[in-house]
Structure formats: C-alpha cells, structure tokens
Amino acid sequence: RNLGGCMSPDNAWMIVQGIETLSLRMERHCENALKVAEYLKAHPKVSWVRYPGLKDDSQYEKNLKYLKGNGGPMVVFGIE
C-alpha cells in the first residue's frame, strides 16, 4: 500500500490507532505463543519445539537479553 506524500486523515487515524495498541497486541501474541509452545512440547506426536521463551531452548539466554523474556510470537515445531 502506497500512502503517497500526503496521507488522508482516515489513514492517519487508523495508523495511530494501530500504533497505540501495538505493544498490548504483541504482549498477548507472546503470551499465547508460550502457551502453544508448552502445549506442543507435551504433545506425544510432536518431536521437537523451538521457542526462545522455553527455559530449555538453546536461545533462552538471548531471549532474556534481547526480548526481555517475552520469547516473541513465533513457534516452530516438528511432527513425527
């Protein structure tokens, strides 16, 4: 989407609304991703789970340093 040199008032208002709630939405994404990762880790048909918010993940220390312990919104896993 190209907003051009001069954005319409409606587009500006929608962008501001999105930015104001971005931190809250990302916080919820991260909370949900942790719950999904924990569920998948316990599932018998899932062979591995990669999520930096899990304490046994190889990137957990970087998660604490760079992501402030939130883990991010992405979960990667493999099935048997």
Side-chain angles (χ1 to χ4, degrees):
R1 178 179 214 172
N2 185 359
L3 298 174
C6 186
M7 170 181 338
S8 75
D10 288 337
N11 286 342
W13 183 83
M14 287 189 291
I15 288 172
V16 167
Q17 294 305 305
I19 289 172
E20 285 180 352
T21 61
L22 180 62
S23 63
L24 178 63
R25 289 182 285 132
M26 287 307 298
E27 187 178 310
R28 295 299 180 270
H29 285 315
C30 295
E31 288 174 8
N32 290 336
L34 178 60
K35 290 176 186 176
V36 169
E38 290 170 343
Y39 174 82
L40 290 171
K41 188 130 182 100
H43 197 284
K45 294 194 177 192
V46 175
S47 59
W48 56 270
V49 177
R50 289 292 316 270
Y51 180 67
L54 293 174
K55 292 187 179 181
D56 60 345
D57 190 83
S58 64
Q59 302 300 311
Y60 184 70
E61 294 302 320
K62 288 182 182 175
N63 162 53
L64 294 176
K65 182 177 179 181
Y66 297 115
L67 301 175
K68 301 177 184 171
N70 289 328
M74 187 182 300
V75 179
V76 183
F77 65 97
I79 55 175
E80 293 184 356

